[in-house]
Amino acid sequence: MAGQVQALRRRIRTVRSTKKIAKAQELVATSRIARAQERVAAAKPYSEAITQVLTALASNASVDNPLLVPRERVRRAGVLLITSDRGLAGAYNANAIRTCEQLISRLRADGKDVALYVIGRKGVGYYRFRNRPIAASWTGFSERPSFEDARRVGESLLEAFVAGADDGEGHHGPDGIQGVDELHIVGTRFQSLMTQVAEPHFLAPMQVEDREREPGLRAAYEFEPEAEELLDALLPKYLNTRIYAALLDSAASESASRRRAMKSASDNADDLLKRYTREMNSARQAAITQEISEIVGGANALAAAGSDV
């Protein structure tokens, strides 16, 4: 009985320690959710403004930029997956990886090769453990991404996309670099504190939104420099903006998923503490009862021995 009590006490200490860690992680994640939502809201006006400018440029210029012209034949597709650098985030990474795998399966079913680009240590570890090739990877900023991080990712993807323009059947083209003909991104969209959805999105060639115009005369634009030159300068920024928006949304989703997972872990720790405490009290009571029984039994034995004398 004494050994069982000691074992239960060790379990209780372990669960209490785990609960403290889970509670601390929950509080940290809660504080980061608010900041992440503020960053998403702050980046939205810029994203909308650059979309409006590109819509005006594309509708007033002859479109021949590689980022706007679909390839005649898509041989290779690039897929950018956004995961987290740390664990303890519930099903956040599993859902993102599963969505990425579904997208890769669809692309391969269409006869396309796939080049995989991964953000986050969890995604990198998943594919390296399975000996799956990764074209490029980035880590260390999943919870607090900056626009500079998005720019570095965007430059690599843009370089691969431009290199794919001269690729042919079975060869890499004059530049000797194997590129891609289209780009996809898999991130997690933040809907609420309880709901985050992993989704794939088409990234390039870009499909610039053509919003409905108000009735009446169409606005006339004058561009300085020329519209084609502006497109060449703004389209890479638009690509980086799309990646940055996906990183911010995924960061908010990661914190929300970690908060929910740590809240569940903390609640489970409370349940375990109650159960182990009851078991320990029962074991102590059984031990006390046994000791009393042994004392009474010994006293009765001594009394019986004395009466015999």
Side-chain angles (χ1 to χ4, degrees):
M1 290 296 179
Q4 183 181 2
V5 172
Q6 290 297 326
L8 288 170
R9 282 177 176 168
R10 284 195 297 270
R11 289 184 183 180
I12 289 173
R13 286 196 297 268
T14 301
V15 172
R16 282 176 178 167
S17 177
T18 303
K19 180 186 174 182
K20 289 181 182 178
I21 296 173
K23 194 65 178 179
Q25 291 281 356
E26 178 188 348
L27 295 175
V28 171
T30 301
S31 66
R32 286 180 175 173
I33 291 172
R35 291 198 295 268
Q37 288 180 294
E38 290 174 359
R39 297 181 71 189
V40 171
K44 188 175 181 180
Y46 177 81
S47 177
E48 292 178 347
I50 196 172
T51 299
Q52 292 175 356
V53 171
L54 286 173
T55 300
L57 287 171
S59 60
N60 286 272
S62 57
V63 179
D64 58 357
N65 190 285
L67 282 172
L68 291 175
V69 180
R71 304 278 165 84
E72 293 183 3
R73 182 178 178 185
V74 179
R75 299 180 178 87
R76 196 163 185 252
V79 176
L80 174 64
L81 169 64
I82 301 176
T83 62
S84 69
D85 288 314
R86 298 192 300 123
L88 302 178
Y92 170 78
N93 291 303
N95 290 337
I97 292 173
R98 181 172 62 250
T99 302
C100 181
E101 287 295 291
Q102 292 171 351
L103 174 61
I104 291 174
S105 297
R106 290 198 300 270
L107 293 173
R108 287 175 175 167
D110 293 336
K112 303 172 184 177
D113 293 331
V114 176
L116 184 62
Y117 301 85
V118 183
I119 294 175
R121 292 189 179 91
K122 291 300 178 180
V124 173
Y126 176 88
Y127 286 102
R128 284 182 177 171
F129 179 77
R130 289 159 179 79
N131 294 321
R132 301 271 294 277
I134 298 176
S137 63
W138 302 267
T139 60
F141 54 84
S142 71
E143 290 184 271
R144 284 176 285 186
S146 65
F147 190 80
E148 179 62 24
D149 298 321
R151 188 186 63 80
R152 288 192 292 113
V153 176
E155 287 178 350
S156 297
L157 295 180
L158 182 59
E159 181 181 356
F161 184 77
V162 172
D166 59 3
D167 289 354
E169 191 68 37
H171 60 84
H172 299 168
D175 57 8
I177 301 174
Q178 186 178 20
V180 298
D181 299 308
E182 65 181 21
L183 291 170
H184 302 260
I185 185 170
V186 177
T188 305
R189 180 166 56 90
F190 179 88
Q191 289 185 335
S192 68
L193 289 175
M194 298 302 297
T195 307
Q196 301 86 41
V197 183
E199 296 176 336
H201 293 284
F202 193 80
L203 196 59
M206 296 177 185
Q207 301 169 340
V208 179
E209 299 177 10
D210 189 8
R211 301 182 177 181
E212 294 183 2
R213 297 182 176 88
E214 297 180 357
L217 295 175
R218 294 178 57 183
Y221 294 91
E222 292 184 2
F223 299 106
E224 179 65 32
E226 295 297 325
E228 291 79 2
E229 188 175 347
L230 284 174
L231 278 173
D232 292 339
L234 288 179
L235 281 171
K237 296 183 183 298
Y238 179 69
L239 177 69
N240 297 339
T241 301
R242 289 281 305 276
I243 295 173
Y244 184 52
L247 285 173
L248 291 178
D249 228 1
S250 295
S253 299
E254 178 186 345
S255 294
S257 183
R258 179 170 290 114
R259 174 189 174 277
R260 190 169 63 251
M262 293 299 97
K263 178 67 166 59
S264 178
S266 181
D267 293 342
N268 290 338
D270 285 333
D271 294 339
L272 282 174
L273 285 174
K274 292 178 182 178
R275 195 183 81 186
Y276 288 153
T277 300
R278 285 196 302 267
E279 291 180 3
M280 185 182 69
N281 290 337
S282 297
R284 289 175 61 189
Q285 186 64 41
I288 292 172
T289 302
Q290 182 178 354
E291 289 177 1
I292 292 174
S293 298
E294 291 175 353
I295 292 172
V296 171
N300 291 336
L302 289 175
S307 62
D308 291 340
V309 174

